[in-house]
Amino acid sequence: MGALNLQWVSDSIGYDYKRWKQGDTVLISAQTGTGKTYFIKEVLLDHMDSGQRLLFVCNRTNLKRQLKKDLLKKYKQPIPETLNELDDVTTIADKVTITSYHAISNAIQQEIYDPNASKSDFNLYDYIVFDECHFIFSDGNFNNKTRFAYKKVVHDYYPHIVKIFISATMHEIKEPIIRSVEKIKNNGFGLDVPTVHEYSTGNDYSYVKPLYFSNIDSIINLIKNDSSNEKWLVFISDINRDGNKLLEELGEDRCSLIKSGTKSDELNYIINNSKFTKKVLVSTKAMDNGINIKDSKLKNIVIMTWDRITFIQMLGRKRIDIDNPEEVNLYIPTRFKKSFLSKLKTYRQKQVEVELLDSNKMEFYKKYDNDLKDFNGMNDVFYRDVTTGEIKHNLVGCKRLYEDIKFAEHMINAFDIDKKFAYIHEQLSWLGISDDEPEENLIEDVVIKEEVISLEMYLDTIAGQKLFDEEQHKLSDLIIKELITLSSQTDYRTKKLKPSTLESIVRNQLELPFAVSKPKQETSGVMRKKRYIIITRIK
């Protein structure tokens, strides 16, 4: 396939970076793989004057690690051998400091409780890069400390610093950033008002071949059937259900798992080599940023998530050469309307409590003041102000909640129109592609090749024999309970498959060369008047 219709970040910006002035805000919307880190490392850092400093803010530990390695190489400094030693590195060549949104939030929280704590001072820097800036909102539904980073990163004004925001999914955070700059202009800070500079690489996901599934078993069986040297990257949303099932079914010799807090030889290998060693890598959201996979063997990506930001970030872990892209099979779930109804119910329950704090504060305190530890699972939308003791809304968490409500409602309405593929079309819209005949790309009833071979061998042993009731039961049990996944049209409650159903499964679904006769009646012997069938191999 031809080159993707994308620009490199460096080409999109050109020489504009030379006219960025103190106090300005820069927004870079960059599809993953278009060289955002290259621009910072090889263009902006080399442009900076001697004595100027840059702060690089990451949202994932693994991203920090990979960036540190790159910068240590750039400035010809030794690279630590272990992850623990690498994690201790913060400043490189007295020019670049690398931190995280988590570290910023934790430092601000520490300042609140301890006036003598060291301050998180942005004014030490001339440039601050807020990489993957979407994190502040996208993690707001489970991390209530993002409110600290949100204020310091988005709202606070630093007249001597160029703030650079970068993301492939800028759509949620962009408006609040621009509003904060407009507020500064309206307040009249200084004579030289800040400017917002916007750049985009464009979007092109035409290298993706989308395929759909409704059950994780289909993916597991596809992987089991894959005898090639191709690799699989599987992103899961439920580690206890899907993650453990994948590990159990595929085995640790073929499959490894990365989750929050993972420190393993496999993860270390990925960070050092941008490849993984086993056939299958299963990961949670912990790897949706910060890991770049540059491996031509990675041909299959499975994404099981619920939102656009995480979806795009997960897909971006496979690095694509935009000038010479490789096609990638992308497997995405169909989901169901009832799943979004369930999510909406949870969101609505939380919304009631959010509005209760506004409408009847005393009732809210009566309900929660003796059970404040986690507000019954709602600590993403509430927090206690340590200076006043007052319970307040976490505005970042509330924004995330209302965005989630809006999306759940949107999907419920979409399923009313498109009962089977509404979520498929939604996910494809995020990539700017469409599919008018999704049924053709639906992966269902995947049978395991080894089991089909075993069934074929068994059928050869009984071919030509009269199969009475007991033998027919045995064959039905073998097919229904042990060997294959039957289509949803097959009645699993039956004890014995009808001859016509047997033939349909064997010849049509499994494509095995066997015919099943209509029932016949024995005319002699101890089985006289008993009905039987005969299976015949078709030449």
Side-chain angles (χ1 to χ4, degrees):
M1 59 188 304
L4 299 178
N5 186 25
L6 294 169
Q7 280 190 302
W8 295 103
V9 169
S10 298
D11 294 336
S12 175
I13 295 173
Y15 293 103
D16 270 11
Y17 63 89
K18 294 183 178 181
R19 65 184 183 89
W20 296 345
K21 63 182 184 298
Q22 293 177 328
D24 281 359
T25 293
V26 179
L27 303 177
I28 304 175
S29 180
Q31 183 167 319
T32 48
T34 53
K36 61 173 183 178
T37 307
Y38 175 88
F39 170 76
I40 301 300
K41 291 187 305 181
E42 306 300 334
V43 179
L44 186 59
L45 282 174
D46 291 347
H47 164 72
M48 288 165 53
D49 294 334
S50 176
Q52 286 190 314
R53 300 184 65 195
L54 181 144
L55 177 66
F56 199 106
V57 184
C58 307
N59 70 324
R60 299 282 185 247
T61 299
N62 292 323
L63 180 58
K64 286 197 299 181
R65 291 167 177 164
Q66 199 152 33
L67 180 63
K68 288 176 185 178
K69 284 178 175 288
D70 292 344
L71 290 172
L72 288 169
K73 289 178 184 177
K74 175 181 175 65
Y75 292 108
K76 296 180 173 58
Q77 296 187 357
I79 299 175
E81 294 182 0
T82 68
L83 292 181
N84 286 334
E85 291 174 320
L86 185 63
D87 289 344
D88 289 337
V89 175
T90 56
T91 300
I92 298 171
D94 293 325
K95 194 177 186 75
V96 187
T97 297
I98 301 169
T99 188
S100 67
Y101 297 99
H102 297 85
I104 291 171
S105 294
N106 290 337
I108 296 172
Q109 184 184 38
Q110 184 64 24
E111 292 171 20
I112 294 172
Y113 287 92
D114 182 3
N116 298 318
S118 57
K119 300 293 187 290
S120 175
D121 190 0
F122 281 0
N123 289 302
L124 298 173
Y125 306 96
D126 302 277
Y127 295 86
I128 303 181
V129 176
F130 299 107
D131 195 23
E132 310 294 1
C133 58
H134 59 268
F135 157 83
I136 296 176
F137 279 157
S138 67
D139 280 18
N141 60 347
F142 63 87
N143 180 2
N144 69 350
K145 292 183 182 180
T146 57
R147 72 180 190 273
F148 296 129
Y150 176 75
K151 180 180 182 304
K152 192 173 184 69
V153 169
V154 175
H155 280 296
D156 289 355
Y157 175 51
Y158 307 96
H160 304 296
I161 300 172
V162 177
K163 294 164 67 175
I164 303 169
F165 296 88
I166 307 177
S167 177
T169 46
M170 186 78 75
H171 58 283
E172 286 188 351
I173 192 73
K174 178 179 175 179
E175 184 181 340
I177 293 172
I178 292 177
R179 272 204 315 266
S180 70
V181 177
E182 293 299 325
K183 185 176 180 180
I184 293 165
K185 290 180 179 180
N186 294 335
N187 286 340
F189 281 101
L191 298 177
D192 198 6
V193 296
T195 301
V196 176
H197 306 268
E198 293 189 55
Y199 307 94
S200 174
T201 62
N203 295 295
D204 187 350
Y205 294 97
S206 58
Y207 66 90
V208 166
K209 178 183 178 181
L211 298 159
Y212 323 128
F213 66 97
S214 59
N215 193 303
I216 189 64
D217 290 333
S218 297
I219 298 299
I220 292 171
N221 288 350
L222 277 177
I223 296 173
K224 287 181 177 179
N225 286 340
D226 184 5
S227 58
S228 71
N229 65 351
E230 293 181 359
K231 294 182 180 180
W232 293 70
L233 175 57
V234 184
F235 283 105
I236 54 173
S237 55
D238 189 322
I239 190 169
N240 293 321
R241 183 186 65 223
D242 299 325
N244 291 336
K245 185 168 188 175
L246 282 157
L247 279 176
E248 181 181 343
E249 291 279 347
L250 300 175
E252 294 186 3
D253 57 329
R254 280 197 289 182
C255 182
S256 57
L257 173 67
I258 291 179
K259 58 183 179 179
S260 180
T262 293
K263 289 187 178 181
S264 64
D265 292 339
E266 180 76 308
L267 179 57
N268 201 18
Y269 184 87
I270 294 170
I271 293 172
N272 288 322
N273 302 283
S274 298
K275 298 180 180 181
F276 51 93
T277 61
K278 297 181 181 179
K279 185 174 184 67
V280 184
L281 178 64
V282 179
S283 179
T284 63
K285 190 178 179 180
M287 208 185 76
D288 69 355
N289 298 123
I291 292 292
N292 299 328
I293 305 297
K294 302 174 183 177
D295 191 341
S296 60
K297 292 182 180 179
L298 176 55
K299 300 288 189 181
N300 305 282
I301 300 177
V302 183
I303 298 180
M304 304 171 65
T305 189
W306 297 89
D307 67 278
R308 175 182 177 182
I309 290 178
T310 308
F311 180 92
I312 296 296
Q313 294 298 327
M314 287 176 171
L315 179 59
R317 292 317 95 213
K318 161 75 173 177
R319 280 300 188 252
I320 300 296
D321 181 350
I322 68 174
D323 293 323
N324 186 28
E326 303 170 318
E327 187 176 68
V328 174
N329 297 319
L330 174 63
Y331 298 87
I332 53 179
T334 56
R335 302 292 189 196
F336 302 98
K337 178 181 177 179
K338 63 181 181 182
S339 299
F340 288 97
L341 285 168
S342 177
K343 283 184 171 294
L344 183 60
K345 181 180 179 181
T346 301
Y347 299 151
R348 289 296 191 197
Q349 290 170 343
K350 192 174 291 189
Q351 181 186 10
V352 168
E353 306 308 309
V354 169
E355 294 174 353
L356 178 62
L357 181 57
D358 283 329
S359 62
N360 193 333
K361 186 171 291 188
M362 288 304 296
E363 183 64 26
F364 181 90
Y365 273 82
K366 177 183 176 182
K367 186 172 183 179
Y368 287 106
D369 209 18
N370 290 320
D371 190 17
L372 195 58
K373 184 178 180 181
D374 65 354
F375 297 102
N376 287 355
M378 292 183 292
N379 60 333
D380 57 326
V381 289
F382 299 122
Y383 72 97
R384 184 187 284 279
D385 188 326
V386 68
T387 59
T388 64
E390 185 180 2
I391 300 175
K392 295 182 177 180
H393 291 124
N394 172 13
L395 297 182
V396 174
C398 288
K399 176 176 173 57
R400 176 77 271 147
L401 172 64
Y402 285 106
E403 290 290 336
D404 290 342
I405 289 174
K406 187 192 305 181
F407 181 66
E409 290 175 335
H410 164 70
M411 286 313 309
I412 290 166
N413 292 333
F415 271 107
D416 287 338
I417 299 170
D418 185 355
K419 298 187 183 304
K420 191 171 184 179
F421 293 106
Y423 191 53
I424 291 298
H425 290 304
E426 180 68 21
Q427 293 171 94
L428 293 180
S429 73
W430 299 339
L431 302 176
I433 58 180
S434 60
D435 186 350
D436 294 331
E437 298 181 351
E439 198 77 45
E440 294 185 3
N441 291 317
L442 181 63
I443 308 297
E444 285 185 306
D445 308 322
V446 179
V447 296
I448 298 174
K449 292 177 181 177
E450 291 181 358
E451 294 179 349
V452 176
I453 293 171
S454 297
L455 177 61
E456 183 176 12
M457 293 173 63
Y458 177 72
L459 291 175
D460 272 327
T461 66
I462 62 175
Q465 299 178 19
K466 295 178 179 179
L467 304 180
F468 291 95
D469 192 66
E470 184 177 345
E471 289 82 5
Q472 292 178 46
H473 273 292
K474 181 178 178 181
L475 178 58
S476 295
D477 286 345
L478 184 64
I479 292 175
I480 295 175
K481 297 178 181 178
E482 297 181 29
L483 284 178
I484 64 172
T485 300
L486 298 177
S487 71
S488 57
Q489 296 177 348
T490 302
D491 188 350
Y492 278 75
R493 296 167 296 178
T494 187
K495 294 182 179 179
K496 184 179 69 173
L497 296 172
K498 297 177 181 178
S500 59
T501 304
L502 269 174
E503 179 160 275
S504 177
I505 292 172
V506 170
R507 292 185 63 178
N508 300 331
Q509 186 175 334
L510 303 180
E511 299 180 346
L512 293 177
F514 293 91
V516 180
S517 72
K518 292 181 179 180
K520 301 179 182 179
Q521 192 175 75
E522 181 62 84
T523 59
S524 63
V526 295
M527 302 302 290
R528 184 172 177 270
K529 293 187 177 181
K530 300 292 185 182
R531 299 175 71 82
Y532 66 88
I533 61 172
I534 296 177
I535 293 178
T536 306
R537 176 178 273 275
I538 301 172
K539 302 298 185 182

